[in-house]
Amino acid sequence: MPIKRNNPKPRLADSVEHAGIVYLSGQVPNDLTGDITQQTEEVFAKIDALLAASNSDKTRILSAQVWIKNMARDFYAFNAAWENWMPVENSPARAAVEANMARDQVLVEIMVIASQS
């Protein structure tokens, strides 16, 4: 089966498609001035667009990995945004951990694996 690398760059591709599965690279917000809710919603929009470009959507997410800069401060607000975005009947397997980010202003990064339609 062929492997399709979408928008490859020197260190990563935006996503990779193989055998009916799409793997998204970790997504971070472009606007780093917002709070956790604003940054999270921007990341969700990026995920939605990348999944749509790969013939998938958030209801087909199988697994999500979430990195949050400050769990004590932002985990509740992140989960509220997640619950507004993800229909409960489509909840994927998910892990969320606190992590140092590549840039200080990044509050959240999300990587997902989804099936294609």
Side-chain angles (χ1 to χ4, degrees):
M1 299 193 115
I3 298 172
K4 181 180 178 189
R5 299 174 198 285
N6 299 308
N7 196 23
K9 301 172 186 100
R11 292 183 301 265
L12 56 88
D14 286 344
S15 63
V16 175
E17 300 172 34
H18 177 67
I21 304 292
V22 58
Y23 304 83
L24 268 58
S25 291
Q27 299 300 307
V28 297
N30 294 327
D31 180 358
L32 302 179
T33 62
D35 65 9
I36 187 68
T37 299
Q38 292 164 315
Q39 287 194 19
T40 298
E41 289 172 351
E42 182 182 340
V43 170
F44 290 158
K46 290 173 81 172
I47 290 170
D48 286 336
L50 288 168
L51 289 175
S54 292
N55 198 30
S56 187
D57 63 58
K58 67 183 173 188
T59 69
R60 302 184 67 80
I61 294 174
L62 304 170
S63 176
Q65 296 178 34
V66 180
W67 296 273
I68 297 173
K69 182 173 182 167
N70 185 326
M71 284 288 230
R73 181 189 66 207
D74 292 334
F75 191 56
Y76 178 81
F78 172 83
N79 278 331
W82 178 278
E83 291 166 10
N84 285 332
W85 177 67
M86 177 61 67
V88 67
E89 65 273 12
N90 299 112
S91 293
R94 190 188 98 172
V97 298
E98 184 172 277
N100 290 323
M101 301 298 190
R103 290 175 284 170
D104 285 339
Q105 304 91 335
V106 174
L107 304 180
V108 63
E109 181 170 350
I110 304 171
M111 184 172 82
V112 303
I113 300 170
S115 66
Q116 293 176 297
S117 304

